[in-house]
Amino acid sequence: MSSPKLGQEWKALDSDLQRISNLETATAYVSRPFVGAGISFVFIVVAALLAALFFGQDSNTLIVIAAAGFGAYMALNIGANDVANNMGPAVGARALSMGAAIAIAAIFESAGAMLAGGDVVSTISKGIIDPSGMASTSVFIWAMMAALISSALWVNLATWVGAPVSTTHSVVGGVMGAGIAAAGFGAVDWPTMGKIAASWVISPVLGGVVAAMFLAFIKSRIIYQDDKLAAARRWVPVLIGIMTAAFAAYLAIKGLKRIVKIDLQMALMIGLGAGVLSWAITRPLIARQSRGLENRNKSLKILFNIPLIISAALLSFAHGANDVANAVGPLAAIVHASEFGSFAAKVAIPLWVMIIGAFGISFGLFLFGPKLIRMVGGQITKLNAMRAYCVALSAAITVIVASWLGLPVSSTHIAVGAVFGVGFFREWDTERRLRNNLKAHGLPVRYSTEERRRRKLVRRSHFMTILAAWVITVPAAALLSAVIFLAISVFVA
């Protein structure tokens, strides 16, 4: 039998242990952001050492080392912000856990960057400025350095705020601002800038319309049918075929350019063949998977899960192939100018520069990506497997259409616009069905202000925040780049 004194000592010990446990929990919570920052700093240092190892001894070695560090910083930010658009819908639909999404995205982003990333890139961002207008090679180098720093800072700020912005537009703005500061307004190709400004509207609207059209098709042909599973067995393989065709055509244009030059017509033929083959293969698979399922919407989501995961992986591969140049384009320009003492509109990207871009995107996604993934996947509007599939399908098809029309669109704007399109279509469809139901029963169709607000399925606060971030990305990055270039000019003068 224990004494009262011993019992009091045990209580005191339990209390002390609880305080220690609370302290450890609080310490872990507070230190969590510093872990990501610490790993990021180590990666930036490794990137700088990689530049020192491969570039060799030269008068511009320190400049290249600094540029490699900023290029790594930019790649980290692209991983934190841009990749959320590919994985957010799949995570929001609960087809993938956060850990699985990050692992798949890291693998396919890196593979896309290393296997299919363009070995020749327009280092002055698709002709935004004319490098021949620069007074000297050193001026060009500092302009590219300013563009790299400003675009990375802007994407970092947008990630911190929780706004998915276009890293392409950030780089374009940074290059434009530095170009104006270095060579005046005449150095900028304003018609090209006009096309990019037009894409602010075209990208999200096109993505939203295409996603809404596919959701309307799925609702009318599958969800609202009496025998949902029979309709799914007929139409899900068709939708998978369309997805396969779109991705095959997209990857033929973007991903195979290192091996063979493929024009749009040939890419569409490749896509058509892949789509028909995919439809033929998936028909019996979907029929087998649907056996034993109940005739309700929850069963339909199961049939879309695997296609959604595959589409998210392919989007990540395509993103890595296409957008790694945003991280390493200005860095490649600095390396080329430092090595050869001249600048050119297009240069080859060294392998070590591509490695920095590929691994930086993966590290950024792993360390900081979950915040934007949750926002895109669940905080704009509620997604399930079917709605998320419409977003992925819209992203692939819209990029193909934009390439055909020659429009400089943003994959970020397309994907987020598709999420908004799905949400706004659901709002309209829900209200339409309610109106029809009330009319069918002879009831008046009236809504109070509170009722209308309750039926909104898209969070307007996120809509306005993201829209504002999109509009100011280019001018903000340009202004920041101009200030950084002028500061560098004063410092090195």
Side-chain angles (χ1 to χ4, degrees), residues 21 54 100 105 122 136 153 171 177 187 208 215 237 254-255 258 261 277-278 298 376 378 383 394 397 420 435 449 453:
S21 177
F54 283 96
S122 177
S136 64
L153 288 173
V171 172
L215 184 58
K254 300 290 185 180
R258 271 186 153 182
K261 183 70 174 176
L277 181 63
S278 174
K298 190 173 183 180
V376 172
L383 294 174
S394 169
I397 290 175
F420 281 120
R435 282 176 179 275
T449 304
R453 188 178 296 113

Side-chain angles (χ1 to χ4, degrees), residues 125-126 128 169 172 191-201 408 474:
S125 293
K126 302 178 179 67
I128 296 304
H169 288 184
V172 166
T192 301
M193 279 305 305
K195 286 184 179 180
I196 291 171
S199 76
W200 295 342
V201 178
V474 169

Side-chain angles (χ1 to χ4, degrees), residues 93-140:
R94 297 183 180 178
L96 282 172
S97 65
M98 181 65 74
I102 289 174
I104 290 173
I107 292 169
F108 281 85
E109 286 279 340
S110 299
M114 296 303 298
L115 299 177
D119 57 340
V120 176
V121 62
S122 177
T123 57
I124 43 79
S125 293
K126 302 178 179 67
I128 296 304
I129 62 170
D130 180 8
S132 63
M134 299 290 176
S136 64
T137 302
S138 61
V139 171
F140 176 76

Side-chain angles (χ1 to χ4, degrees), residues 234-266:
R234 179 181 181 185
W235 289 111
V236 171
V238 173
L239 291 168
I240 293 174
I242 293 172
M243 178 195 76
T244 306
F247 277 116
Y250 178 75
L251 293 174
I253 293 174
K254 300 290 185 180
L256 300 178
K257 57 189 175 185
R258 271 186 153 182
I259 304 168
V260 61
K261 183 70 174 176
I262 297 177
D263 59 19
L264 184 63
Q265 186 175 0
M266 177 58 69

Side-chain angles (χ1 to χ4, degrees), residues 381-404:
T381 192
K382 187 177 180 181
L383 294 174
N384 59 24
M386 290 168 283
R387 297 168 200 154
Y389 187 76
C390 293
V391 172
L393 200 52
S394 169
I397 290 175
T398 305
V399 169
I400 289 292
V401 172
S403 299
W404 178 51

Side-chain angles (χ1 to χ4, degrees), residues 208-227:
V209 168
V210 173
M213 287 171 59
F214 275 109
L215 184 58
F217 179 85
I218 289 173
K219 282 180 175 289
S220 64
R221 298 293 179 181
I222 302 176
I223 295 175
Y224 296 154
Q225 296 293 316
D226 293 331
D227 191 341

